[in-house]
Amino acid sequence: FTKPKIINKMEEELISFKVAKLAKEKGYKEPCVNWYNFSGLLLKDSATKQIPSNNKKFPSYSAPTQSLLQRWLRKTFSIHVEVIWVDTLDGLYIYHISTTGNAIRPDSEMFDSYEEALEYGLINALNLINL
């Protein structure tokens, strides 16, 4: 018996440092095993979940997966971000944001990957939050 060779390991996409900072500003304070330090260095798979630090000099930022942040936006603010596959031949995607009261935001520009479209959708959804 030979073990099959894994060509592409599928992993959940973590949010970028830019999105992590914006999410914290908008109230995302969930502990995570992945987080960014104050300079944007990603610290992955720590032994314990880290609570984001509010230390002014050395803050830290939770780095959840894109899908966890997407769920938090939906549950906390009733903002739904979805990605739509618009061109199967070229693999192009757009994001779409819906909010309560059926207010639908215009669709986005085209992106080359699902994850890239979701990242920009999350940024624009976070920018809708006024605290």
Side-chain angles (χ1 to χ4, degrees), residues 45-96:
D45 302 321
S46 64
T48 58
K49 288 187 176 185
Q50 300 291 318
I51 297 171
S53 164
N54 286 326
N55 180 316
K56 297 263 189 238
K57 215 172 185 183
F58 302 109
S60 64
Y61 308 89
S62 292
T65 62
Q66 289 178 330
S67 60
L68 279 175
L69 184 59
Q70 186 180 28
R71 183 185 307 157
W72 178 78
L73 284 166
R74 193 172 52 251
K75 300 281 184 191
T76 308
F77 296 100
S78 299
I79 298 173
H80 178 69
V81 181
E82 67 180 317
V83 174
I84 302 165
W85 190 17
V86 294
D87 188 334
T88 58
L89 295 176
D90 289 329
L92 296 174
Y93 300 84
I94 60 172
Y95 65 82
H96 188 79

